[in-house]
Amino acid sequence: MTVGKVYLVGAGPGDPKLITVYGMECIQEADVILYDRLANEQLLNYAKKDAELIFCGKLPGKHGVIQDRIHELLVEKALQGKVVTRLKGGDPFVFGRGAEEAEVLATQGIPYEVVPGITSGIAAPAYAGIPVTHRDHATSFAIVTGHGREEKGKDYLNWSALAQGIDTIAFYMGVGNLPHICKQLMDHGRDKHTPVALVQWGTTKYQRTVTGTLATIEEIAKKAEIAHPAIVLVGEVVTIREKIKWFEERAENILL
Ligand code: SAH
């Protein structure tokens, strides 16, 4: 039997319309779709009627084990000659472990393609009226994991470089770690008045945004009960939102 093919596809940040045309084609043509929690399930409506849909968020096992199981499934299904679409939230290569999957496929000699997606660190701010760069406010932008914690010995970030060298920083997976992030930035020289925004469920009808400063955002986020998934965006660009928060001002997007 001829070997199938795997497409590692970015589903975009939330709004199903924000997938790419190519990503949509991969959904339509797939015999098997393995999808993550953060990929919008509405996209599965475009799959073939008899496509096998596998939710990776519910695969049994611990985090690392689940990833191994995903690798096995990708290989197994492709070797059965199937077209497999691996659907991930945002972009598959931005904190999506897409490269690990590509490496496995490359090692096994299975044909694959990577279909980039719009990443939430840019799209969620955009829907909140915040550009990640701006001629007057920001000429550099970094995508950073907010996961690291010093007390767990897992914080490898170069905080002084981030605090002093980057205008706009998007922290992914950072809500639970917000106090640590703010403290590290301030301790390493960032002004405590630096604006910060949290955008939860960006580009969906559940989108919520709160703003404050490095000194105040912890309290504000706690009061508003902002939780995963959210982007923590740090930088002067957050001030632009006051003028262009277009999405949240559209009446039809307000959740009643
Ligand atoms: N590959 C994804 C990121 C996966 S890591 C991408 O490119 O967007 C998971 C983190 O992404 C979450 O903790 C959150 O910080 C962010 N995220 C994903 N979807 C989001 C959304 N709709 N709104 C805000 N943040 C989101």
Side-chain angles (χ1 to χ4, degrees), residues 13 38 89-91 94-96 119-120 124 171-173 199-202 228-231:
L38 284 174
D91 181 277
V94 178
F95 302 129
T119 192
S120 57
F171 289 96
Y172 291 57
M173 304 168 283
V199 188
Q200 181 181 17
W201 282 121
H228 173 87
I231 289 293

Side-chain angles (χ1 to χ4, degrees), residues 5-12 19-20 22-24 26-27 30 32-36 39 56 67 70-71 73-75 78 83-94 96-106 110-118:
K5 183 161 182 174
V6 178
Y7 295 94
L8 302 171
V9 176
I19 194 169
T20 62
Y22 194 26
M24 179 58 92
C26 294
I27 290 175
V32 184
I33 300 180
L34 287 99
Y35 63 102
D36 280 351
C56 296
Q67 193 60 36
I70 292 168
H71 294 168
L73 281 166
L74 291 175
V75 171
V83 174
V84 183
T85 288
R86 173 76 177 105
L87 197 59
K88 292 165 174 290
D91 181 277
F93 277 8
V94 178
R97 308 191 70 168
E100 292 167 46
E101 293 170 19
E103 281 176 52
V104 169
L105 297 166
I110 291 167
Y112 66 92
E113 288 187 36
V114 180
V115 182
I118 300 179

